[in-house]
Amino acid sequence: MSAGPKLAPVAFTALDGGGQLAKITMNYPPANLFDSSSLQALGAAMDAVEATSDVRGLVLQSDVRGFFSAGFSLPALYNVDRAGFERLWVTGKHVFRRIYALPVPSIAAIDGHALGLGCVMAMACQRRFMVASERPPLIGLNEVAVGMPVPEWLATRFRDLTSTRDAELILPRGSSLSPTQAHKIGLVDSLYASRSEMDDAIHSDFNSCRVSARAQQETIRGLRRQFLDYFDTCFDQDTELFWQAISSHETQTAIGNALAQLKAKSRKPN
């Protein structure tokens, strides 16, 4: 089943212990940037996963060399009107929620940079596996570095995965982390020397699970209910606060400067 033009088909494979493993492969060169259409395509992929009753696990991965996802497409946020912003922001939050709320084990298989919304989607998963190659990719919530605040619900999720101290030191600086740094603080669960090694570990992990599907799913629902209740309670207020931030002169200037730097970099000879 095709998930849309900006994602590879959702693949389902049978697991040794019963049920199926769903794999969503992002494929939107050159960096899996998120705009309204690619977020809608990711939502369509989740439609296919949620409609399959015997799914026992989810893997979110990329087929773009060097990138899990570089996050929001900055042009989509530059000089955006309120309707366009809300369409983009609300769609992104809904996709995050659906991945997070899926009551099965999930793994973000990261082989490349995972920045901004790319890191957010990885954080929606239960675990994050990452390839630490010779030229280490970066992972992190770098919103502050491009003039955007980190939403409170997202800071809360980051803090839950790491610690209050790490969140306070890293998020206000817009810092991106190497795989080793991310693993040290708990943002990344496991590191691998190659994509094939990571894929083998994922295959082994899901195929070794023999617990009751019903018991596992109810346990995951219970563990995630508190954050989901909080997320839903602040959903509308967060959208309003982030619109005020993204539409400010300061933030729009920072985004414009970032776009100018990217344009200048693209003109440089290799």
Side-chain angles (χ1 to χ4, degrees):
M1 180 180 295
S2 174
K6 295 183 178 180
L7 289 174
V10 183
F12 295 93
T13 55
L15 293 170
D16 293 346
Q20 298 188 78
L21 175 64
K23 289 186 178 180
I24 298 175
T25 305
M26 297 181 289
N27 186 17
Y28 185 22
N32 281 335
L33 293 172
F34 288 115
D35 57 16
S36 291
S37 59
S38 56
L39 284 170
Q40 289 168 5
L42 185 53
M46 286 301 298
D47 288 343
V49 174
E50 293 167 347
T52 305
S53 60
D54 64 341
V55 166
R56 295 295 308 276
L58 171 68
V59 175
L60 181 62
Q61 60 187 10
S62 166
D63 203 29
V64 174
R65 183 179 178 86
F67 287 92
F68 178 79
S69 168
F72 268 127
S73 168
L74 289 181
L77 295 173
Y78 190 50
N79 290 330
V80 64
D81 61 22
R82 180 157 187 154
F85 162 77
E86 289 188 355
R87 183 166 55 251
L88 187 68
W89 186 242
V90 169
T91 301
K93 289 198 297 181
H94 276 304
V95 172
F96 168 89
R97 191 195 190 285
R98 292 173 70 184
I99 296 172
Y100 183 86
L102 195 70
V104 298
S106 56
I107 294 175
I110 304 168
D111 184 13
H113 300 297
L115 301 170
L117 190 58
C119 182
V120 174
M121 294 305 177
M123 288 167 57
C125 295
Q126 185 184 58
R127 288 178 290 169
R128 284 143 299 284
F129 290 4
M130 192 170 189
V131 175
S133 54
E134 292 183 5
R135 292 186 175 182
L138 297 174
I139 181 171
L141 300 175
N142 62 341
E143 282 80 355
V144 170
V146 291
M148 294 181 284
V150 176
E152 186 176 338
W153 60 267
L154 185 53
T156 298
R157 175 62 176 154
F158 187 93
R159 186 178 61 210
D160 288 346
L161 292 171
T162 59
S163 71
T164 298
R165 181 62 173 161
D166 288 322
E168 289 183 347
L169 289 174
I170 294 167
L171 297 184
R173 297 176 65 90
S175 300
S176 300
L177 308 174
S178 70
T180 301
Q181 292 170 325
H183 184 248
K184 183 178 180 180
I185 67 170
L187 181 60
V188 168
D189 296 278
S190 300
L191 298 179
Y192 300 92
S194 67
R195 177 67 176 262
S196 61
E197 182 183 6
M198 179 174 66
D199 289 344
D200 287 346
I202 291 172
H203 183 269
S204 176
D205 184 273
F206 280 108
N207 276 304
S208 65
C209 186
R210 295 290 193 277
V211 300
S212 160
R214 180 178 178 180
Q216 183 181 68
Q217 291 171 12
E218 288 305 315
T219 300
I220 291 173
R221 287 190 180 98
L223 287 167
R224 299 209 153 186
R225 185 173 294 117
Q226 183 177 8
F227 177 82
L228 288 171
D229 288 345
Y230 160 67
F231 180 87
D232 292 342
T233 298
C234 68
F235 194 98
D236 291 338
Q237 182 183 23
D238 165 79
T239 300
E240 174 63 28
L241 290 173
F242 209 76
W243 163 246
Q244 295 300 325
I246 202 72
S247 62
S248 71
H249 176 74
E250 180 183 4
T251 300
Q252 285 296 308
T253 298
I255 294 174
N257 290 339
L259 287 170
Q261 291 171 7
L262 289 172
K263 186 175 181 179
K265 185 177 179 180
S266 69
R267 290 176 174 172
K268 291 182 179 179
N270 294 329

